[in-house]
PDB file of all heavy atoms in Angstrom:
ATOM      1  N   PRO U 286      -2.367  22.785 -13.546  1.00 32.00           N
ATOM      2  CA  PRO U 286      -3.761  23.074 -13.871  1.00 32.00           C
ATOM      3  C   PRO U 286      -4.704  21.912 -13.599  1.00 32.00           C
ATOM      4  O   PRO U 286      -4.312  20.773 -13.523  1.00 32.00           O
ATOM      5  CB  PRO U 286      -3.701  23.361 -15.383  1.00 32.00           C
ATOM      6  CG  PRO U 286      -2.522  22.558 -15.853  1.00 32.00           C
ATOM      7  CD  PRO U 286      -1.528  22.612 -14.726  1.00 32.00           C
ATOM      8  N   THR U 306     -11.738  22.763   2.554  1.00 97.00           N
ATOM      9  CA  THR U 306     -10.897  23.045   1.393  1.00 97.00           C
ATOM     10  C   THR U 306      -9.548  23.626   1.775  1.00 97.00           C
ATOM     11  O   THR U 306      -8.684  23.796   0.920  1.00 97.00           O
ATOM     12  CB  THR U 306     -11.610  24.019   0.434  1.00 97.00           C
ATOM     13  OG1 THR U 306     -11.877  25.245   1.129  1.00 97.00           O
ATOM     14  CG2 THR U 306     -12.919  23.427  -0.079  1.00 97.00           C
ATOM     15  N   GLU U 326     -12.744  10.546  12.611  1.00 91.00           N
ATOM     16  CA  GLU U 326     -12.466   9.624  11.517  1.00 91.00           C
ATOM     17  C   GLU U 326     -12.244  10.455  10.258  1.00 91.00           C
ATOM     18  O   GLU U 326     -13.005  11.381   9.973  1.00 91.00           O
ATOM     19  CB  GLU U 326     -13.619   8.653  11.299  1.00 91.00           C
ATOM     20  CG  GLU U 326     -13.385   7.695  10.137  1.00 91.00           C
ATOM     21  CD  GLU U 326     -14.564   6.770   9.884  1.00 91.00           C
ATOM     22  OE1 GLU U 326     -15.381   6.571  10.803  1.00 91.00           O
ATOM     23  OE2 GLU U 326     -14.665   6.258   8.751  1.00 91.00           O
ATOM     24  N   ALA U 338     -12.522   0.659  11.336  1.00 52.00           N
ATOM     25  CA  ALA U 338     -13.073   1.965  11.662  1.00 52.00           C
ATOM     26  C   ALA U 338     -13.626   1.964  13.079  1.00 52.00           C
ATOM     27  O   ALA U 338     -14.185   0.980  13.550  1.00 52.00           O
ATOM     28  CB  ALA U 338     -14.172   2.335  10.667  1.00 52.00           C
ATOM     29  N   VAL U 437       3.811  21.404  10.787  1.00 98.00           N
ATOM     30  CA  VAL U 437       4.566  20.893   9.651  1.00 98.00           C
ATOM     31  C   VAL U 437       5.828  20.230  10.187  1.00 98.00           C
ATOM     32  O   VAL U 437       6.648  20.880  10.843  1.00 98.00           O
ATOM     33  CB  VAL U 437       4.923  21.997   8.646  1.00 98.00           C
ATOM     34  CG1 VAL U 437       5.812  21.435   7.536  1.00 98.00           C
ATOM     35  CG2 VAL U 437       3.661  22.602   8.047  1.00 98.00           C
ATOM     36  N   TRP U 451       8.567  11.134  10.926  1.00 98.00           N
ATOM     37  CA  TRP U 451       8.964   9.727  10.863  1.00 98.00           C
ATOM     38  C   TRP U 451       7.758   8.814  11.047  1.00 98.00           C
ATOM     39  O   TRP U 451       7.606   7.812  10.328  1.00 98.00           O
ATOM     40  CB  TRP U 451      10.007   9.445  11.935  1.00 98.00           C
ATOM     41  CG  TRP U 451      10.434   8.016  11.998  1.00 98.00           C
ATOM     42  CD1 TRP U 451      11.427   7.420  11.288  1.00 98.00           C
ATOM     43  CD2 TRP U 451       9.874   6.985  12.832  1.00 98.00           C
ATOM     44  NE1 TRP U 451      11.527   6.083  11.613  1.00 98.00           N
ATOM     45  CE2 TRP U 451      10.591   5.789  12.560  1.00 98.00           C
ATOM     46  CE3 TRP U 451       8.856   6.956  13.779  1.00 98.00           C
ATOM     47  CZ2 TRP U 451      10.296   4.594  13.200  1.00 98.00           C
ATOM     48  CZ3 TRP U 451       8.567   5.773  14.416  1.00 98.00           C
ATOM     49  CH2 TRP U 451       9.287   4.603  14.123  1.00 98.00           C
ATOM     50  N   THR U 454       5.746   7.860   7.946  1.00 98.00           N
ATOM     51  CA  THR U 454       6.394   7.147   6.836  1.00 98.00           C
ATOM     52  C   THR U 454       6.143   5.643   6.944  1.00 98.00           C
ATOM     53  O   THR U 454       7.019   4.836   6.641  1.00 98.00           O
ATOM     54  CB  THR U 454       7.903   7.430   6.814  1.00 98.00           C
ATOM     55  OG1 THR U 454       8.485   7.022   8.070  1.00 98.00           O
ATOM     56  CG2 THR U 454       8.189   8.900   6.575  1.00 98.00           C
ATOM     57  N   ASP U 477      15.906  22.962  -9.456  1.00 98.00           N
ATOM     58  CA  ASP U 477      15.188  22.586 -10.673  1.00 98.00           C
ATOM     59  C   ASP U 477      14.128  21.543 -10.328  1.00 98.00           C
ATOM     60  O   ASP U 477      14.457  20.437  -9.895  1.00 98.00           O
ATOM     61  CB  ASP U 477      16.166  22.021 -11.700  1.00 98.00           C
ATOM     62  CG  ASP U 477      15.497  21.662 -13.020  1.00 98.00           C
ATOM     63  OD1 ASP U 477      14.259  21.747 -13.108  1.00 98.00           O
ATOM     64  OD2 ASP U 477      16.221  21.272 -13.951  1.00 98.00           O
ATOM     65  N   GLY U 487      10.106   6.405 -19.893  1.00 95.00           N
ATOM     66  CA  GLY U 487       9.187   7.007 -20.856  1.00 95.00           C
ATOM     67  C   GLY U 487       8.184   6.020 -21.392  1.00 95.00           C
ATOM     68  O   GLY U 487       7.019   6.348 -21.613  1.00 95.00           O
ATOM     69  N   GLY U 500      -5.076 -28.923 -17.246  1.00 87.00           N
ATOM     70  CA  GLY U 500      -3.675 -29.309 -17.367  1.00 87.00           C
ATOM     71  C   GLY U 500      -2.777 -28.767 -16.274  1.00 87.00           C
ATOM     72  O   GLY U 500      -1.616 -29.185 -16.166  1.00 87.00           O
ATOM     73  N   ASN U 520      16.789 -11.862  -7.834  1.00 97.00           N
ATOM     74  CA  ASN U 520      16.821 -10.608  -8.604  1.00 97.00           C
ATOM     75  C   ASN U 520      16.173  -9.433  -7.883  1.00 97.00           C
ATOM     76  O   ASN U 520      15.661  -8.518  -8.540  1.00 97.00           O
ATOM     77  CB  ASN U 520      16.133 -10.814  -9.955  1.00 97.00           C
ATOM     78  CG  ASN U 520      16.855 -11.793 -10.846  1.00 97.00           C
ATOM     79  OD1 ASN U 520      17.840 -11.444 -11.492  1.00 97.00           O
ATOM     80  ND2 ASN U 520      16.372 -13.033 -10.869  1.00 97.00           N
ATOM     81  N   ILE U 550      -2.251 -16.127 -14.023  1.00 96.00           N
ATOM     82  CA  ILE U 550      -1.862 -15.128 -15.018  1.00 96.00           C
ATOM     83  C   ILE U 550      -0.707 -14.329 -14.442  1.00 96.00           C
ATOM     84  O   ILE U 550      -0.780 -13.852 -13.309  1.00 96.00           O
ATOM     85  CB  ILE U 550      -3.021 -14.187 -15.371  1.00 96.00           C
ATOM     86  CG1 ILE U 550      -4.199 -14.973 -15.944  1.00 96.00           C
ATOM     87  CG2 ILE U 550      -2.564 -13.118 -16.367  1.00 96.00           C
ATOM     88  CD1 ILE U 550      -5.416 -14.109 -16.242  1.00 96.00           C
ATOM     89  N   SER U 664      12.224  -7.872   2.120  1.00 97.00           N
ATOM     90  CA  SER U 664      11.322  -8.817   1.473  1.00 97.00           C
ATOM     91  C   SER U 664      11.491  -8.761  -0.044  1.00 97.00           C
ATOM     92  O   SER U 664      11.988  -7.776  -0.593  1.00 97.00           O
ATOM     93  CB  SER U 664       9.864  -8.503   1.835  1.00 97.00           C
ATOM     94  OG  SER U 664       9.653  -8.653   3.230  1.00 97.00           O
ATOM     95  N   VAL U 672     -10.813 -12.119  -1.244  1.00 95.00           N
ATOM     96  CA  VAL U 672     -12.081 -12.747  -1.604  1.00 95.00           C
ATOM     97  C   VAL U 672     -13.021 -11.640  -2.054  1.00 95.00           C
ATOM     98  O   VAL U 672     -13.046 -10.548  -1.470  1.00 95.00           O
ATOM     99  CB  VAL U 672     -12.684 -13.550  -0.428  1.00 95.00           C
ATOM    100  CG1 VAL U 672     -13.079 -12.653   0.741  1.00 95.00           C
ATOM    101  CG2 VAL U 672     -13.870 -14.374  -0.902  1.00 95.00           C
ATOM    102  N   VAL U 701      -0.385 -16.864  10.767  1.00 98.00           N
ATOM    103  CA  VAL U 701      -0.063 -15.496  10.351  1.00 98.00           C
ATOM    104  C   VAL U 701       1.397 -15.441   9.903  1.00 98.00           C
ATOM    105  O   VAL U 701       2.218 -16.281  10.308  1.00 98.00           O
ATOM    106  CB  VAL U 701      -0.298 -14.485  11.493  1.00 98.00           C
ATOM    107  CG1 VAL U 701      -1.778 -14.408  11.855  1.00 98.00           C
ATOM    108  CG2 VAL U 701       0.544 -14.829  12.709  1.00 98.00           C
ATOM    109  N   ARG U 743       7.384   0.399  19.395  1.00 97.00           N
ATOM    110  CA  ARG U 743       7.590   1.146  20.652  1.00 97.00           C
ATOM    111  C   ARG U 743       7.853   2.624  20.368  1.00 97.00           C
ATOM    112  O   ARG U 743       7.373   3.505  21.093  1.00 97.00           O
ATOM    113  CB  ARG U 743       8.730   0.529  21.458  1.00 97.00           C
ATOM    114  CG  ARG U 743       8.386  -0.835  22.041  1.00 97.00           C
ATOM    115  CD  ARG U 743       9.406  -1.287  23.073  1.00 97.00           C
ATOM    116  NE  ARG U 743       9.051  -2.573  23.634  1.00 97.00           N
ATOM    117  CZ  ARG U 743       8.185  -2.756  24.626  1.00 97.00           C
ATOM    118  NH1 ARG U 743       7.579  -1.715  25.166  1.00 97.00           N
ATOM    119  NH2 ARG U 743       7.933  -3.967  25.090  1.00 97.00           N
ATOM    120  N   LYS U 751       2.904  11.536  22.616  1.00 98.00           N
ATOM    121  CA  LYS U 751       3.285  12.947  22.547  1.00 98.00           C
ATOM    122  C   LYS U 751       2.297  13.769  21.727  1.00 98.00           C
ATOM    123  O   LYS U 751       1.927  14.877  22.119  1.00 98.00           O
ATOM    124  CB  LYS U 751       4.689  13.058  21.944  1.00 98.00           C
ATOM    125  CG  LYS U 751       5.161  14.478  21.717  1.00 98.00           C
ATOM    126  CD  LYS U 751       6.554  14.490  21.107  1.00 98.00           C
ATOM    127  CE  LYS U 751       7.033  15.900  20.787  1.00 98.00           C
ATOM    128  NZ  LYS U 751       8.397  15.877  20.171  1.00 98.00           N
TER     129      LYS U 751
END
Side-chain angles (χ1 to χ4, degrees):
T306 60
E326 178 183 339
V437 175
W451 177 88
T454 59
D477 182 354
N520 295 280
I550 300 177
S664 297
V672 65
V701 295
R743 290 192 179 277
K751 175 180 177 181

